[in-house]
Each structure stands twice: as C-alpha cells, then as structure tokens.
Amino acid sequence: MIGKILERFCLGLRVIIGILTMALAIPVAAQVLARYTGIIPVYLWTEELATFIFVWVVMIGSMIAVWDGTHFAVLVIPDATSPLGTLIQNGFVFVLLIIFGAIFVIYGIEYTKFGAIQHSVMMNANMALTHVSVPIAGAAWAIFATYRLAQAVATYRDARSAAQ
C-alpha cells in the first residue's frame, strides 16, 4: 500500500516536472527573442523566472531519480553475487541517501527561513519559494530511500528463506 502511494506521488512529480519544463520554455524563449532578434524588449524578470523554475525542475528531477534508483548510486566495485552482498551494497547506498536526505531537511529548513526574509530583485518574489525545494527534496529522498531499503531487506529475506 505504501508503495502504491509513493508511486502515485512520484507520478505526480513527473506531471509537475513536465509542466514546469514546458513553462520554462516561455521565459527562455522570451530571453532569446529579446536578446538576439530585438522583436521584443529585454525583460530581466524572465531570467529570474527561468532560474526559479529551473531550480524546481532540478530538485524534482532528483526526487524522481532517487525513486527510480538512477541518481545517487555509483558503482565502484563489481555487483555482488550473493543476496547478502547485494543487500550490503544497496543498503549502504540507501542509508547514505537517508542520511543526506535528513541533512537536507534539517539545514534546508534554516535555508528556507533565510530565504523568507529575502526577495528577488526584478520579480520581488520571496526567495523562500525556491529555497523550500531543498527540504522538500531531502524529505522525498529520505522517504524513498527508506522504502527502497525496506524492499531490499525483504528481498534478502525472501532469497534467504528460498535457499533454506
């Protein structure tokens, strides 16, 4: 049940990242048209908006990558051949993800508080709107990694009981 909830949440993230990527095309296109064609005047707020959207695209993309298992794993040793070795290899990565996710949540809250007292120059947008992406991403990383760790432990238990 938890897996289905997390899968739906990740599906929602995929929809959001698609919408944000399409939205990112608007200020970027305006910048290109303004700078290279002179058809429209140069609007500086488009650069800020593109930056804000890009920050969210990157953070949401990292959440999706953690769910898919394609982001934070770097193979420096060969894949394990035993179920216990696989659990140790994958478990190490998941534990590190949980730790880093927790660090991002803890320090990200302070980072968001710092952003709440700042405003962007051109759009006068509260910077907490982008800073809050850090603790949200950290929480998602920790939750997704915890779920994947539980799956890895269950797979190990199944493999061990099947071998007996």
mmCIF file of all heavy atoms in Angstrom, residues 81-128:
data_model
loop_
_atom_site.group_PDB
_atom_site.id
_atom_site.type_symbol
_atom_site.label_atom_id
_atom_site.label_comp_id
_atom_site.label_asym_id
_atom_site.label_seq_id
_atom_site.Cartn_x
_atom_site.Cartn_y
_atom_site.Cartn_z
ATOM 1 N N THR A 81 27.345 -10.961 -5.919
ATOM 2 C CA THR A 81 26.692 -12.155 -6.480
ATOM 3 C C THR A 81 25.809 -12.854 -5.467
ATOM 4 O O THR A 81 24.939 -13.623 -5.847
ATOM 5 C CB THR A 81 27.751 -13.145 -6.997
ATOM 6 O OG1 THR A 81 28.666 -13.448 -5.932
ATOM 7 C CG2 THR A 81 28.523 -12.538 -8.157
ATOM 8 N N SER A 82 26.000 -12.569 -4.195
ATOM 9 C CA SER A 82 25.179 -13.205 -3.160
ATOM 10 C C SER A 82 24.082 -12.242 -2.702
ATOM 11 O O SER A 82 24.222 -11.023 -2.813
ATOM 12 C CB SER A 82 26.050 -13.599 -1.957
ATOM 13 O OG SER A 82 26.485 -12.441 -1.275
ATOM 14 N N PRO A 83 22.984 -12.793 -2.184
ATOM 15 C CA PRO A 83 21.919 -11.920 -1.672
ATOM 16 C C PRO A 83 22.392 -11.002 -0.545
ATOM 17 O O PRO A 83 22.001 -9.837 -0.490
ATOM 18 C CB PRO A 83 20.849 -12.898 -1.185
ATOM 19 C CG PRO A 83 21.087 -14.150 -1.954
ATOM 20 C CD PRO A 83 22.569 -14.205 -2.177
ATOM 21 N N LEU A 84 23.256 -11.516 0.334
ATOM 22 C CA LEU A 84 23.759 -10.683 1.427
ATOM 23 C C LEU A 84 24.639 -9.553 0.886
ATOM 24 O O LEU A 84 24.538 -8.406 1.331
ATOM 25 C CB LEU A 84 24.540 -11.526 2.437
ATOM 26 C CG LEU A 84 25.140 -10.754 3.616
ATOM 27 C CD1 LEU A 84 24.034 -10.063 4.421
ATOM 28 C CD2 LEU A 84 25.969 -11.667 4.497
ATOM 29 N N GLY A 85 25.498 -9.852 -0.075
ATOM 30 C CA GLY A 85 26.343 -8.827 -0.675
ATOM 31 C C GLY A 85 25.516 -7.757 -1.373
ATOM 32 O O GLY A 85 25.824 -6.563 -1.283
ATOM 33 N N THR A 86 24.462 -8.177 -2.054
ATOM 34 C CA THR A 86 23.566 -7.220 -2.711
ATOM 35 C C THR A 86 22.884 -6.329 -1.687
ATOM 36 O O THR A 86 22.771 -5.121 -1.882
ATOM 37 C CB THR A 86 22.518 -7.964 -3.560
ATOM 38 O OG1 THR A 86 23.198 -8.778 -4.521
ATOM 39 C CG2 THR A 86 21.594 -6.998 -4.272
ATOM 40 N N LEU A 87 22.436 -6.947 -0.587
ATOM 41 C CA LEU A 87 21.802 -6.157 0.477
ATOM 42 C C LEU A 87 22.789 -5.152 1.055
ATOM 43 O O LEU A 87 22.433 -3.990 1.280
ATOM 44 C CB LEU A 87 21.268 -7.070 1.584
ATOM 45 C CG LEU A 87 20.697 -6.355 2.809
ATOM 46 C CD1 LEU A 87 19.476 -5.525 2.418
ATOM 47 C CD2 LEU A 87 20.358 -7.345 3.901
ATOM 48 N N ILE A 88 24.017 -5.566 1.275
ATOM 49 C CA ILE A 88 25.018 -4.663 1.845
ATOM 50 C C ILE A 88 25.313 -3.511 0.883
ATOM 51 O O ILE A 88 25.339 -2.344 1.285
ATOM 52 C CB ILE A 88 26.305 -5.428 2.223
ATOM 53 C CG1 ILE A 88 26.023 -6.353 3.407
ATOM 54 C CG2 ILE A 88 27.447 -4.467 2.541
ATOM 55 C CD1 ILE A 88 27.137 -7.329 3.712
ATOM 56 N N GLN A 89 25.514 -3.843 -0.401
ATOM 57 C CA GLN A 89 25.797 -2.792 -1.390
ATOM 58 C C GLN A 89 24.641 -1.800 -1.503
ATOM 59 O O GLN A 89 24.830 -0.592 -1.405
ATOM 60 C CB GLN A 89 26.053 -3.409 -2.765
ATOM 61 C CG GLN A 89 27.444 -3.922 -2.948
ATOM 62 C CD GLN A 89 27.660 -4.438 -4.356
ATOM 63 O OE1 GLN A 89 26.730 -4.846 -5.050
ATOM 64 N NE2 GLN A 89 28.910 -4.432 -4.792
ATOM 65 N N ASN A 90 23.438 -2.321 -1.731
ATOM 66 C CA ASN A 90 22.283 -1.442 -1.891
ATOM 67 C C ASN A 90 21.924 -0.747 -0.586
ATOM 68 O O ASN A 90 21.562 0.432 -0.579
ATOM 69 C CB ASN A 90 21.086 -2.224 -2.419
ATOM 70 C CG ASN A 90 21.311 -2.724 -3.826
ATOM 71 O OD1 ASN A 90 22.121 -2.182 -4.567
ATOM 72 N ND2 ASN A 90 20.596 -3.764 -4.206
ATOM 73 N N GLY A 91 22.027 -1.491 0.509
ATOM 74 C CA GLY A 91 21.701 -0.915 1.810
ATOM 75 C C GLY A 91 22.612 0.249 2.164
ATOM 76 O O GLY A 91 22.155 1.254 2.724
ATOM 77 N N PHE A 92 23.893 0.139 1.825
ATOM 78 C CA PHE A 92 24.833 1.224 2.086
ATOM 79 C C PHE A 92 24.410 2.496 1.350
ATOM 80 O O PHE A 92 24.392 3.584 1.923
ATOM 81 C CB PHE A 92 26.245 0.794 1.663
ATOM 82 C CG PHE A 92 27.297 1.839 1.881
ATOM 83 C CD1 PHE A 92 27.704 2.172 3.168
ATOM 84 C CD2 PHE A 92 27.870 2.500 0.810
ATOM 85 C CE1 PHE A 92 28.676 3.141 3.378
ATOM 86 C CE2 PHE A 92 28.836 3.462 1.005
ATOM 87 C CZ PHE A 92 29.241 3.785 2.291
ATOM 88 N N VAL A 93 24.034 2.345 0.084
ATOM 89 C CA VAL A 93 23.590 3.498 -0.711
ATOM 90 C C VAL A 93 22.311 4.090 -0.115
ATOM 91 O O VAL A 93 22.183 5.306 0.026
ATOM 92 C CB VAL A 93 23.378 3.103 -2.187
ATOM 93 C CG1 VAL A 93 22.728 4.231 -2.974
ATOM 94 C CG2 VAL A 93 24.700 2.700 -2.820
ATOM 95 N N PHE A 94 21.362 3.227 0.252
ATOM 96 C CA PHE A 94 20.100 3.717 0.800
ATOM 97 C C PHE A 94 20.296 4.411 2.137
ATOM 98 O O PHE A 94 19.671 5.446 2.406
ATOM 99 C CB PHE A 94 19.078 2.578 0.933
ATOM 100 C CG PHE A 94 18.655 1.998 -0.386
ATOM 101 C CD1 PHE A 94 18.535 0.627 -0.541
ATOM 102 C CD2 PHE A 94 18.385 2.810 -1.479
ATOM 103 C CE1 PHE A 94 18.144 0.081 -1.757
ATOM 104 C CE2 PHE A 94 17.996 2.275 -2.689
ATOM 105 C CZ PHE A 94 17.879 0.903 -2.839
ATOM 106 N N VAL A 95 21.160 3.881 2.978
ATOM 107 C CA VAL A 95 21.429 4.519 4.271
ATOM 108 C C VAL A 95 22.078 5.894 4.056
ATOM 109 O O VAL A 95 21.706 6.866 4.724
ATOM 110 C CB VAL A 95 22.297 3.613 5.172
ATOM 111 C CG1 VAL A 95 22.830 4.372 6.372
ATOM 112 C CG2 VAL A 95 21.492 2.399 5.631
ATOM 113 N N LEU A 96 23.016 5.974 3.130
ATOM 114 C CA LEU A 96 23.619 7.276 2.827
ATOM 115 C C LEU A 96 22.578 8.260 2.297
ATOM 116 O O LEU A 96 22.599 9.440 2.659
ATOM 117 C CB LEU A 96 24.755 7.124 1.819
ATOM 118 C CG LEU A 96 26.057 6.548 2.348
ATOM 119 C CD1 LEU A 96 27.067 6.387 1.223
ATOM 120 C CD2 LEU A 96 26.629 7.402 3.460
ATOM 121 N N LEU A 97 21.670 7.778 1.453
ATOM 122 C CA LEU A 97 20.600 8.646 0.950
ATOM 123 C C LEU A 97 19.709 9.141 2.082
ATOM 124 O O LEU A 97 19.303 10.307 2.093
ATOM 125 C CB LEU A 97 19.749 7.889 -0.070
ATOM 126 C CG LEU A 97 20.218 7.953 -1.506
ATOM 127 C CD1 LEU A 97 19.454 6.979 -2.371
ATOM 128 C CD2 LEU A 97 20.050 9.352 -2.036
ATOM 129 N N ILE A 98 19.402 8.266 3.017
ATOM 130 C CA ILE A 98 18.577 8.667 4.154
ATOM 131 C C ILE A 98 19.299 9.733 4.982
ATOM 132 O O ILE A 98 18.711 10.748 5.378
ATOM 133 C CB ILE A 98 18.211 7.439 5.024
ATOM 134 C CG1 ILE A 98 17.288 6.502 4.238
ATOM 135 C CG2 ILE A 98 17.571 7.859 6.335
ATOM 136 C CD1 ILE A 98 17.136 5.117 4.847
ATOM 137 N N ILE A 99 20.591 9.526 5.211
ATOM 138 C CA ILE A 99 21.374 10.492 5.983
ATOM 139 C C ILE A 99 21.436 11.844 5.266
ATOM 140 O O ILE A 99 21.174 12.889 5.870
ATOM 141 C CB ILE A 99 22.794 9.948 6.266
ATOM 142 C CG1 ILE A 99 22.718 8.771 7.247
ATOM 143 C CG2 ILE A 99 23.716 11.047 6.800
ATOM 144 C CD1 ILE A 99 24.014 7.989 7.373
ATOM 145 N N PHE A 100 21.762 11.820 3.982
ATOM 146 C CA PHE A 100 21.841 13.077 3.242
ATOM 147 C C PHE A 100 20.474 13.740 3.113
ATOM 148 O O PHE A 100 20.364 14.966 3.165
ATOM 149 C CB PHE A 100 22.478 12.876 1.860
ATOM 150 C CG PHE A 100 23.972 12.813 1.902
ATOM 151 C CD1 PHE A 100 24.629 11.604 1.732
ATOM 152 C CD2 PHE A 100 24.718 13.951 2.121
ATOM 153 C CE1 PHE A 100 26.015 11.539 1.780
ATOM 154 C CE2 PHE A 100 26.103 13.899 2.168
ATOM 155 C CZ PHE A 100 26.751 12.684 2.000
ATOM 156 N N GLY A 101 19.431 12.934 2.968
ATOM 157 C CA GLY A 101 18.081 13.496 2.939
ATOM 158 C C GLY A 101 17.755 14.206 4.242
ATOM 159 O O GLY A 101 17.203 15.309 4.247
ATOM 160 N N ALA A 102 18.115 13.579 5.365
ATOM 161 C CA ALA A 102 17.870 14.191 6.666
ATOM 162 C C ALA A 102 18.671 15.485 6.827
ATOM 163 O O ALA A 102 18.161 16.483 7.360
ATOM 164 C CB ALA A 102 18.220 13.212 7.786
ATOM 165 N N ILE A 103 19.913 15.476 6.353
ATOM 166 C CA ILE A 103 20.729 16.693 6.412
ATOM 167 C C ILE A 103 20.085 17.801 5.586
ATOM 168 O O ILE A 103 20.012 18.958 6.022
ATOM 169 C CB ILE A 103 22.176 16.406 5.936
ATOM 170 C CG1 ILE A 103 22.898 15.542 6.971
ATOM 171 C CG2 ILE A 103 22.940 17.698 5.676
ATOM 172 C CD1 ILE A 103 24.236 14.992 6.501
ATOM 173 N N PHE A 104 19.594 17.453 4.399
ATOM 174 C CA PHE A 104 18.942 18.461 3.559
ATOM 175 C C PHE A 104 17.671 18.988 4.219
ATOM 176 O O PHE A 104 17.352 20.168 4.079
ATOM 177 C CB PHE A 104 18.624 17.874 2.176
ATOM 178 C CG PHE A 104 19.705 18.097 1.162
ATOM 179 C CD1 PHE A 104 20.982 17.584 1.345
ATOM 180 C CD2 PHE A 104 19.456 18.832 0.020
ATOM 181 C CE1 PHE A 104 21.976 17.795 0.418
ATOM 182 C CE2 PHE A 104 20.446 19.046 -0.923
ATOM 183 C CZ PHE A 104 21.718 18.527 -0.722
ATOM 184 N N VAL A 105 16.950 18.134 4.915
ATOM 185 C CA VAL A 105 15.738 18.601 5.609
ATOM 186 C C VAL A 105 16.118 19.542 6.751
ATOM 187 O O VAL A 105 15.575 20.649 6.855
ATOM 188 C CB VAL A 105 14.904 17.412 6.140
ATOM 189 C CG1 VAL A 105 13.795 17.904 7.062
ATOM 190 C CG2 VAL A 105 14.310 16.619 4.985
ATOM 191 N N ILE A 106 17.043 19.116 7.589
ATOM 192 C CA ILE A 106 17.402 19.908 8.767
ATOM 193 C C ILE A 106 17.971 21.272 8.370
ATOM 194 O O ILE A 106 17.503 22.318 8.826
ATOM 195 C CB ILE A 106 18.406 19.134 9.648
ATOM 196 C CG1 ILE A 106 17.720 17.912 10.263
ATOM 197 C CG2 ILE A 106 19.000 20.033 10.732
ATOM 198 C CD1 ILE A 106 18.660 16.893 10.869
ATOM 199 N N TYR A 107 18.976 21.259 7.504
ATOM 200 C CA TYR A 107 19.582 22.531 7.109
ATOM 201 C C TYR A 107 18.741 23.269 6.072
ATOM 202 O O TYR A 107 18.827 24.492 5.958
ATOM 203 C CB TYR A 107 21.011 22.313 6.607
ATOM 204 C CG TYR A 107 21.939 21.946 7.734
ATOM 205 C CD1 TYR A 107 22.345 20.633 7.935
ATOM 206 C CD2 TYR A 107 22.379 22.910 8.636
ATOM 207 C CE1 TYR A 107 23.179 20.282 8.982
ATOM 208 C CE2 TYR A 107 23.214 22.577 9.694
ATOM 209 C CZ TYR A 107 23.607 21.265 9.855
ATOM 210 O OH TYR A 107 24.416 20.934 10.907
ATOM 211 N N GLY A 108 17.932 22.533 5.337
ATOM 212 C CA GLY A 108 17.054 23.160 4.358
ATOM 213 C C GLY A 108 15.973 24.005 4.993
ATOM 214 O O GLY A 108 15.533 25.010 4.423
ATOM 215 N N ILE A 109 15.534 23.613 6.187
ATOM 216 C CA ILE A 109 14.545 24.421 6.901
ATOM 217 C C ILE A 109 15.150 25.784 7.263
ATOM 218 O O ILE A 109 14.513 26.827 7.067
ATOM 219 C CB ILE A 109 14.021 23.670 8.141
ATOM 220 C CG1 ILE A 109 13.176 22.478 7.689
ATOM 221 C CG2 ILE A 109 13.228 24.601 9.053
ATOM 222 C CD1 ILE A 109 12.806 21.514 8.797
ATOM 223 N N GLU A 110 16.378 25.761 7.751
ATOM 224 C CA GLU A 110 17.056 27.025 8.062
ATOM 225 C C GLU A 110 17.310 27.833 6.791
ATOM 226 O O GLU A 110 17.180 29.064 6.782
ATOM 227 C CB GLU A 110 18.375 26.762 8.799
ATOM 228 C CG GLU A 110 18.195 26.171 10.175
ATOM 229 C CD GLU A 110 17.353 27.040 11.088
ATOM 230 O OE1 GLU A 110 17.564 28.284 11.101
ATOM 231 O OE2 GLU A 110 16.482 26.495 11.779
ATOM 232 N N TYR A 111 17.657 27.152 5.726
ATOM 233 C CA TYR A 111 17.875 27.802 4.438
ATOM 234 C C TYR A 111 16.587 28.466 3.946
ATOM 235 O O TYR A 111 16.608 29.581 3.427
ATOM 236 C CB TYR A 111 18.370 26.747 3.448
ATOM 237 C CG TYR A 111 18.692 27.232 2.067
ATOM 238 C CD1 TYR A 111 19.662 28.193 1.837
ATOM 239 C CD2 TYR A 111 18.034 26.695 0.964
ATOM 240 C CE1 TYR A 111 19.975 28.614 0.557
ATOM 241 C CE2 TYR A 111 18.332 27.104 -0.324
ATOM 242 C CZ TYR A 111 19.307 28.057 -0.520
ATOM 243 O OH TYR A 111 19.605 28.470 -1.790
ATOM 244 N N THR A 112 15.470 27.789 4.136
ATOM 245 C CA THR A 112 14.179 28.352 3.737
ATOM 246 C C THR A 112 13.824 29.555 4.600
ATOM 247 O O THR A 112 13.310 30.561 4.088
ATOM 248 C CB THR A 112 13.073 27.283 3.831
ATOM 249 O OG1 THR A 112 13.433 26.176 3.009
ATOM 250 C CG2 THR A 112 11.743 27.832 3.392
ATOM 251 N N LYS A 113 14.095 29.480 5.901
ATOM 252 C CA LYS A 113 13.856 30.628 6.779
ATOM 253 C C LYS A 113 14.693 31.824 6.335
ATOM 254 O O LYS A 113 14.218 32.964 6.348
ATOM 255 C CB LYS A 113 14.181 30.275 8.230
ATOM 256 C CG LYS A 113 13.190 29.339 8.870
ATOM 257 C CD LYS A 113 13.619 29.012 10.294
ATOM 258 C CE LYS A 113 12.716 27.999 10.938
ATOM 259 N NZ LYS A 113 13.204 27.615 12.278
ATOM 260 N N PHE A 114 15.929 31.570 5.942
ATOM 261 C CA PHE A 114 16.797 32.632 5.444
ATOM 262 C C PHE A 114 16.219 33.217 4.152
ATOM 263 O O PHE A 114 16.229 34.429 3.948
ATOM 264 C CB PHE A 114 18.206 32.079 5.205
ATOM 265 C CG PHE A 114 19.153 33.046 4.583
ATOM 266 C CD1 PHE A 114 19.592 34.158 5.287
ATOM 267 C CD2 PHE A 114 19.618 32.850 3.299
ATOM 268 C CE1 PHE A 114 20.474 35.060 4.724
ATOM 269 C CE2 PHE A 114 20.498 33.745 2.722
ATOM 270 C CZ PHE A 114 20.930 34.849 3.434
ATOM 271 N N GLY A 115 15.710 32.356 3.290
ATOM 272 C CA GLY A 115 15.111 32.826 2.044
ATOM 273 C C GLY A 115 13.827 33.605 2.259
ATOM 274 O O GLY A 115 13.462 34.460 1.446
ATOM 275 N N ALA A 116 13.144 33.329 3.354
ATOM 276 C CA ALA A 116 11.870 34.002 3.627
ATOM 277 C C ALA A 116 12.047 35.493 3.902
ATOM 278 O O ALA A 116 11.100 36.260 3.744
ATOM 279 C CB ALA A 116 11.159 33.338 4.806
ATOM 280 N N ILE A 117 13.249 35.901 4.283
ATOM 281 C CA ILE A 117 13.479 37.320 4.553
ATOM 282 C C ILE A 117 14.106 38.039 3.360
ATOM 283 O O ILE A 117 14.483 39.198 3.470
ATOM 284 C CB ILE A 117 14.358 37.510 5.812
ATOM 285 C CG1 ILE A 117 15.725 36.863 5.631
ATOM 286 C CG2 ILE A 117 13.647 36.991 7.051
ATOM 287 C CD1 ILE A 117 16.703 37.139 6.764
ATOM 288 N N GLN A 118 14.207 37.323 2.230
ATOM 289 C CA GLN A 118 14.793 37.916 1.033
ATOM 290 C C GLN A 118 13.774 37.937 -0.098
ATOM 291 O O GLN A 118 12.864 37.112 -0.145
ATOM 292 C CB GLN A 118 16.004 37.107 0.573
ATOM 293 C CG GLN A 118 17.119 37.047 1.570
ATOM 294 C CD GLN A 118 18.267 36.201 1.058
ATOM 295 O OE1 GLN A 118 18.186 35.573 0.022
ATOM 296 N NE2 GLN A 118 19.350 36.195 1.806
ATOM 297 N N HIS A 119 13.967 38.871 -1.008
ATOM 298 C CA HIS A 119 13.126 38.957 -2.203
ATOM 299 C C HIS A 119 14.019 39.103 -3.425
ATOM 300 O O HIS A 119 15.091 39.709 -3.349
ATOM 301 C CB HIS A 119 12.155 40.144 -2.114
ATOM 302 C CG HIS A 119 11.074 39.934 -1.124
ATOM 303 N ND1 HIS A 119 11.261 40.113 0.225
ATOM 304 C CD2 HIS A 119 9.802 39.522 -1.280
ATOM 305 C CE1 HIS A 119 10.138 39.845 0.868
ATOM 306 N NE2 HIS A 119 9.228 39.488 -0.039
ATOM 307 N N SER A 120 13.568 38.555 -4.537
ATOM 308 C CA SER A 120 14.345 38.670 -5.768
ATOM 309 C C SER A 120 14.321 40.119 -6.249
ATOM 310 O O SER A 120 13.407 40.875 -5.938
ATOM 311 C CB SER A 120 13.796 37.732 -6.838
ATOM 312 O OG SER A 120 12.501 38.134 -7.222
ATOM 313 N N VAL A 121 15.303 40.466 -7.032
ATOM 314 C CA VAL A 121 15.481 41.854 -7.443
ATOM 315 C C VAL A 121 14.407 42.299 -8.431
ATOM 316 O O VAL A 121 13.758 43.317 -8.232
ATOM 317 C CB VAL A 121 16.888 42.049 -8.057
ATOM 318 C CG1 VAL A 121 17.061 43.463 -8.572
ATOM 319 C CG2 VAL A 121 17.958 41.719 -7.032
ATOM 320 N N MET A 122 14.196 41.553 -9.486
ATOM 321 C CA MET A 122 13.310 42.005 -10.560
ATOM 322 C C MET A 122 11.842 41.646 -10.317
ATOM 323 O O MET A 122 10.956 42.448 -10.557
ATOM 324 C CB MET A 122 13.761 41.424 -11.907
ATOM 325 C CG MET A 122 15.131 41.901 -12.337
ATOM 326 S SD MET A 122 15.370 43.680 -12.331
ATOM 327 C CE MET A 122 14.172 44.212 -13.510
ATOM 328 N N MET A 123 11.585 40.436 -9.861
ATOM 329 C CA MET A 123 10.197 39.989 -9.685
ATOM 330 C C MET A 123 9.663 40.297 -8.290
ATOM 331 O O MET A 123 8.472 40.178 -8.055
ATOM 332 C CB MET A 123 10.092 38.483 -9.953
ATOM 333 C CG MET A 123 10.313 38.119 -11.392
ATOM 334 S SD MET A 123 10.276 36.341 -11.715
ATOM 335 C CE MET A 123 8.999 35.723 -10.675
ATOM 336 N N ASN A 124 10.543 40.620 -7.376
ATOM 337 C CA ASN A 124 10.198 40.867 -5.983
ATOM 338 C C ASN A 124 9.507 39.647 -5.368
ATOM 339 O O ASN A 124 8.641 39.765 -4.507
ATOM 340 C CB ASN A 124 9.322 42.123 -5.833
ATOM 341 C CG ASN A 124 9.354 42.645 -4.417
ATOM 342 O OD1 ASN A 124 10.315 42.417 -3.687
ATOM 343 N ND2 ASN A 124 8.292 43.335 -4.015
ATOM 344 N N ALA A 125 9.888 38.463 -5.840
ATOM 345 C CA ALA A 125 9.326 37.215 -5.316
ATOM 346 C C ALA A 125 10.083 36.809 -4.060
ATOM 347 O O ALA A 125 11.301 37.009 -3.959
ATOM 348 C CB ALA A 125 9.433 36.112 -6.357
ATOM 349 N N ASN A 126 9.378 36.240 -3.118
ATOM 350 C CA ASN A 126 10.007 35.765 -1.899
ATOM 351 C C ASN A 126 10.905 34.585 -2.246
ATOM 352 O O ASN A 126 10.471 33.633 -2.892
ATOM 353 C CB ASN A 126 8.940 35.355 -0.887
ATOM 354 C CG ASN A 126 9.520 35.127 0.473
ATOM 355 O OD1 ASN A 126 10.537 34.476 0.643
ATOM 356 N ND2 ASN A 126 8.855 35.673 1.478
ATOM 357 N N MET A 127 12.139 34.628 -1.808
ATOM 358 C CA MET A 127 13.107 33.590 -2.141
ATOM 359 C C MET A 127 12.805 32.253 -1.471
ATOM 360 O O MET A 127 13.336 31.220 -1.868
ATOM 361 C CB MET A 127 14.521 34.052 -1.785
ATOM 362 C CG MET A 127 14.989 35.238 -2.606
ATOM 363 S SD MET A 127 14.955 34.950 -4.384
ATOM 364 C CE MET A 127 16.250 33.745 -4.534
ATOM 365 N N ALA A 128 11.936 32.272 -0.468
ATOM 366 C CA ALA A 128 11.551 31.010 0.160
ATOM 367 C C ALA A 128 10.853 30.095 -0.840
ATOM 368 O O ALA A 128 10.849 28.872 -0.659
ATOM 369 C CB ALA A 128 10.639 31.269 1.361
#
